Amino acid sequence: MELSDVRRHHLSVVLEHLVRNGARSRAAIAQDTGLTKATVSSLVADLLDRDLVEELDTPSAGRIGRPATDVAAAGHRVGALGLQIDVDEVAACVVDLTGEIRVVHRQVAGNRDVPASKVIARLRQVTARALTDAAALGIHCIGGTLALPGLVDPRSGTLFVAPNLHWFDADLNGLAGKLKLPAGFPIAVDNEANLAALAELRHGAGQHLSSFVHVSAGGGVGAGIVIDGRVLRGSHGFAGELGHVVVDPTGKPCACGARGCLETLLGSDAATPPTADDAVADALAAALRTVVHLVDPEAVVLGGTLAGLGDSFATRVAARLHDITLGARWHPCVVHRSLLGADAALVGAATAALDTLISDPTTVPLRASAQPA
Amino acid sequence: MELSDVRRHHLSVVLEHLVRNGARSRAAIAQDTGLTKATVSSLVADLLDRDLVEELDTPSAGRIGRPATDVAAAGHRVGALGLQIDVDEVAACVVDLTGEIRVVHRQVAGNRDVPASKVIARLRQVTARALTDAAALGIHCIGGTLALPGLVDPRSGTLFVAPNLHWFDADLNGLAGKLKLPAGFPIAVDNEANLAALAELRHGAGQHLSSFVHVSAGGGVGAGIVIDGRVLRGSHGFAGELGHVVVDPTGKPCACGARGCLETLLGSDAATPPTADDAVADALAAALRTVVHLVDPEAVVLGGTLAGLGDSFATRVAARLHDITLGARWHPCVVHRSLLGADAALVGAATAALDTLISDPTTVPLRASAQPA
C-alpha cells in the first residue's frame, strides 16, 4: 500500500507531538491531536516499526481501569549528524531527538584557499569519528546537514560562493559518497547563518520569540532572520547576508567587492578580532538599525563570537540601537546573547535534519520484518 | 444562532473563490472548494442575505438537465473606501470588489506641520465627496482604511511618528466620528508603504510574484516587503522603512535624526525631486542592495514617483544592483516599474478593507429581514 499524503502528515503530527511534549498514552495522543484512537494506534504502530517511538514500561499514574502503555519519541536512540566547514575548522556533531548534543568533534584547520576536495577529506575524518561514537552510544543517525559559510542552493547541493573560503561554484553533489557515509544516507547542505538561527529558535535564546534576527560572527558575519517562528530563506536561499551591509562606504575593501561592509569590522579578517569596545558596538548597531527598520523583529540575538563579548557589550549595542532606530521610543528592539554561541550552526545543521525527519517520518524505512512482502 | 469560526471561515472561502475566480453554480463551488452542496447552498444564502453575492439571470452554458443559476460576487455593488494623508495632499477613493477604482478625489494641501485635526478636516471633505459619488453609483461601502506616511499601530489606531508631517503620537481613535462617517462604519489606519505593496500584489506588478519589495517614493520613501504572498508587517507594524537606510553616513541630516538616509536623496525634501539620473539610480541601488542581501526577494518594484522615471531608470537600477549584490551572478533580482504608480497606497487602503471583508464576511450585517427575531 502506498502511503497517502494525509497519512504521512498524520505520522508527522504524532511524532512531533511526542518529541515536543513528551510521553503519553495513545488515548491521550488522540485527544490532543483530534485524531481517532484507531488512527493513532495505527500511526503509533508504524512509528514503532520505524524505531522512531518506543513503548514505556511504566504506564502513566492516576489512571482508572486497565493501565494504558505510554509511548514516547525514541529521543535518545535517534539522532542526526550536524557538519560544518568554516574558515578555521571543520566539525561534526550528533544531536538526538530530545535536542541534546551527544557527540562533538572539531578539527582546527585553515580552510581558506584550500580546494574543496581537501577540506571535505578533513571533514570526512571528524564525520567518521562522530558516527563511530554515535554507534557506540546506541544512537541511530537518520541523516545530516552540512553548514557552509556562503550562498548555498539546498535543492541542487551547490555552494555558489563562500567569500571567506574563496570558493566559487563548488559542486557538492555526491557529498555522501565523498564523506563515505552509509549508502542512502540523506545529507543536505545549507547556509550556516540560517542553521544557527534555527538552532537558537529551537534550543536557545529564540525559544520564546516569534521573530528575531540572529547574528553569527565567526569567520564571517551572517544573520538568520526568523519571522513567525520560521527561518526566512528568501527566494533563492540567500536571505540574511548581514555581513555585507555597508557601514562605512569609504572603509576597507571587503571580500564581496564592496567597501566597509560590517564583516570588514567584525569578521576574522578584520584588523583585530571583535572586542567589546564601543566602536565595534556602534558599527554593529549601525548595521542592525537597517535590519530593524526593514524587518521589525522582536529581538536581536548576538551569536558566534559576539556571544562571548559579555552582557555589557549587548547592553551597549541595545542602547546604541535604541538611539538610532525610528520605532525604539515605542517598541525598542531587545538584544539577547545567544545561548548556543559558537555551536549554533553545527547544532542547527543536525536540527534541520531532525526537522526533515519529523516533517516526514517515512524518510526512515520500516524494519525489514514490517515491510510488505 | 451564533456563527461558529468554522462557518465564518467557510463563508470567507466561498466569497474569496467567487471574487478571485468569477461566477459559477453552487455545484461548481462545492466541487472547487471540497465543501458539500448542502453547505455551499447554506453559505450562498447567507452571503445573498448580506448583499455580498448575487444570482445571475443567465445560467452557465453547456449544462445537461435543469440549468443551475450561477452566483457571483456582487463585484460592482460592494466597495471600500481608501483614504490617504500625504505630505502634499489628502485623497479618498472607492475600489469595488472586482478591484476597479470607481471614484477618486484628491485635494492638494501642504500638510506638514499642520495639526492633525486640521488635516483630518481636509480629509473629511474628500471623503464626503467619495461617499456621495459611491452612493450615486449604487456602491455599498463596507469599510475603509486610512494610509499614513509613518509608523502606525493598526490595533490601537495610533500614529507614532510621521517624520515628514512632523507628527508625533497622533491619536486617531474616533477617526470615523471625526470624518463624519456613518455610525459603525469600520475604519482602520495603516502605513502607506505597506498598503502600496498590497495594492501592487493584488492588482499591479506583483500579481505574479510571491516575494518582492515595493519602493514607494513620494513625500517620503518607504517600502513594503512581500514574502510568500503576504505583506511583512513586522512585530509592531514597523517593517519596510527603506527610506531610513543610510546611503551616505556623511550626508545631509534626515528628519529621522540620522544622516544620508535614502530619503534625503529621493524624498520630496531632497535638494531636487528624484530624476532619472545616474546618481539617484546608484543611491537607490545602494539601499536596495541591503534589502536584497537581507530578504532575497524575486524582484523590486519601483513605485510612487519612481514609476514615472521611465524604463531606462529601472534598467540602470537593475544593472547597478546586479553589479553590487552577492547572489546576482546566479539569481539576479529583477526590477519592475509599478503599474499603479502614485495611486498604489490609496488603492491599497481600499484593498485592505476589502481583504478584511473577504476574510470575515460576517462583518457586513444580514439584511434586517434575514436577521433572527
Side-chain angles (χ1 to χ4, degrees), chain A residues 151 160-161 163 168-169 211 225 227-228 230 232-242 244-247 249 256 258 261 289-291 293-298 326-327 329-331, chain B residues 151 160-161 163 168-169 211 225 227-228 230 232-242 244-247 249 256 258 261 289-291 293-298 326-327 329-331:
Chain A
L151 299 184
F160 294 117
V161 56
F168 289 90
D169 295 314
S211 78
I225 299 173
I227 296 172
D228 292 337
R230 291 177 57 202
L232 175 69
R233 309 202 55 85
S235 309
H236 319 99
F238 294 176
E241 286 295 331
L242 183 73
H244 301 286
V245 170
V246 173
V247 173
C256 78
C261 292
R289 173 187 196 264
T290 297
V291 192
H293 278 169
L294 290 173
V295 176
D296 181 22
E298 284 173 75
L326 214 49
R329 194 169 131 187
W330 300 274
H331 293 294
Chain B
L151 299 184
F160 294 117
V161 56
F168 288 90
D169 295 314
S211 79
I225 299 172
I227 295 173
D228 293 337
R230 291 176 56 201
L232 175 68
R233 308 203 56 85
S235 310
H236 319 99
F238 294 176
E241 287 294 331
L242 184 73
H244 301 285
V245 169
V246 174
V247 173
C256 78
C261 292
R289 172 187 196 263
T290 297
V291 193
H293 278 169
L294 290 174
V295 177
D296 182 21
E298 283 173 76
L326 214 50
R329 193 168 131 187
W330 301 276
H331 292 295

Side-chain angles (χ1 to χ4, degrees), chain B residues 41 115 282:
Chain B
S41 288
D282 288 359

Side-chain angles (χ1 to χ4, degrees), chain A residues 235-236, chain B residues 20-21 197-213 226-230 297-301 334 336-337 339-340:
Chain A
S235 309
H236 319 99
Chain B
R20 310 264 184 254
N21 304 302
L198 176 66
E200 213 64 43
L201 172 67
R202 288 267 188 282
H203 306 298
Q207 283 175 82
H208 305 293
L209 298 169
S210 79
S211 79
F212 64 92
V213 174
V226 172
I227 295 173
D228 293 337
R230 291 176 56 201
E298 283 173 76
V300 166
V301 177
V334 183
H336 295 291
R337 283 168 66 194
L339 297 183
L340 298 165

Side-chain angles (χ1 to χ4, degrees), chain A residues 314-329:
Chain A
T315 304
R316 166 78 200 178
V317 172
R320 181 73 187 144
L321 196 56
H322 189 279
D323 287 348
I324 60 178
T325 49
L326 214 49
R329 194 169 131 187

Side-chain angles (χ1 to χ4, degrees), chain B residues 10-35 40 47 53 71-73 358:
Chain B
H10 286 164
L11 285 169
S12 167
V13 166
V14 170
L15 181 58
E16 179 160 21
H17 190 59
L18 291 172
V19 167
R20 310 264 184 254
N21 304 302
R24 60 203 57 213
S25 68
R26 290 167 178 79
I29 296 170
Q31 193 163 14
D32 297 342
T33 60
L35 297 167
V40 168
L47 294 170
V53 305
V71 290
I358 291 170

